[in-house]
Amino acid sequence: MKTTLAAVVILLLIGTSWVSAQMSRGNPKIGQGVYEQQCLRCHGSKLDGNGPDSEDLIVRPANLQSRITRSKTDWELLVAISNGVLFSPMHGFRGKLSDEQILDVLSYIRAMSPPDIVS
């Protein structure tokens, strides 16, 4: 009985920590300003990958409104923002932006992305 109870408690702790890790932290209003300064030229004002500089790039910027991007975890997006994306013009912002600014941008992206509606 004690073993079962311990296993349930461990599973609850793991599950709740995973859920809290998936919840976006950061301030979307501050993130909007950072996005407009650092990301808009490639990803566009609608976050659709059609920014003013996107036409000059061989590899198009990601459409942050797409189902593929929306299905990525916060962790995957944080890694891409921090480290960049290999073989693409997406460079890393670690060292250029603070961790809080990166979380703010992620929060803004999540706030601007339409939710998937499953019926």
Side-chain angles (χ1 to χ4, degrees), residues 74-100:
D74 287 353
W75 177 252
E76 291 173 305
L77 293 176
L78 287 171
V79 168
I81 295 167
S82 297
N83 300 327
V85 178
L86 196 59
F87 304 117
S88 83
M90 175 63 186
H91 59 279
F93 285 91
R94 184 183 304 160
K96 186 171 186 177
L97 298 176
S98 69
D99 291 344
E100 191 62 37

